[in-house]
Amino acid sequence: MQEEGFSVWETGVSRGGNGSAGQAVADGAPDVPAQSCDLVTVPARQGLEAVDILRLRDGVGPVLHDGACDTLGFLVPAGTAAGWDVPGSACTQTSGRGLALGALCGEGAAAEPPVTGTGWLVPPEGAGAAATDPAVLREALGEAARTIEAVDRCQ
């Protein structure tokens, strides 16, 4: 199954004992989540606004962009897909299907994007959290949509 240029994938095992999932490790980078994650995809314009909002306020987890830069994908905790209902976005359940993010994030090495044709907008080693909190993401996406609407009305 593919969603807006993203293949379905799963995060894997933690980097190994530097803290529990979602907590910062000694070097200030968050530990890679030990649990699987879902992927929220949004149009790039709204996603970029949301990333800025999240960076200023609550922190953002790893974010992917597709090769054409049309879509952004936010890692969110597993189970988010079951209740995700934000218009203009999709949340794909990835548990059990795909690549282990933990294997991509060796100590001192930059993580490679898990999907061919994608890149990191916010790589795991530069993220403020192991995954973006879905409630916080929902609020940021709503604010981003209102901002874009206001800008478009002024043009």
Side-chain angles (χ1 to χ4, degrees):
M1 174 180 209
Q2 283 202 291
E3 179 66 42
E4 305 267 346
F6 291 100
S7 296
V8 179
W9 56 285
E10 166 184 29
T11 60
V13 180
S14 169
R15 282 190 273 197
N18 289 337
S20 63
Q23 292 180 333
V25 293
D27 65 1
D31 198 6
V32 176
Q35 78 281 359
S36 61
C37 289
D38 291 347
L39 185 70
V40 171
T41 54
V42 297
R45 186 174 180 202
Q46 183 180 15
L48 290 169
E49 288 287 340
V51 167
D52 285 345
I53 292 165
L54 291 167
R55 282 184 168 164
L56 290 172
R57 297 187 184 151
D58 302 297
V60 62
V63 180
L64 289 164
H65 64 80
D66 65 358
C69 296
D70 292 329
T71 307
L72 295 186
F74 292 82
L75 287 179
V76 293
T80 300
W84 191 258
D85 61 354
V86 176
S89 69
C91 188
T92 305
Q93 181 181 14
T94 63
S95 181
R97 302 181 227 144
L99 194 57
L101 181 61
L104 302 172
C105 300
E107 293 295 328
E112 290 296 321
V115 180
T116 303
T118 66
W120 290 114
L121 178 67
V122 180
E125 63 273 9
T132 301
D133 180 291
V136 173
L137 178 58
R138 180 184 307 273
E139 290 175 23
L141 289 172
E143 185 173 339
R146 291 186 299 277
T147 300
I148 291 167
E149 183 180 324
V151 168
D152 288 350
R153 277 194 316 260
C154 294
Q155 294 179 349

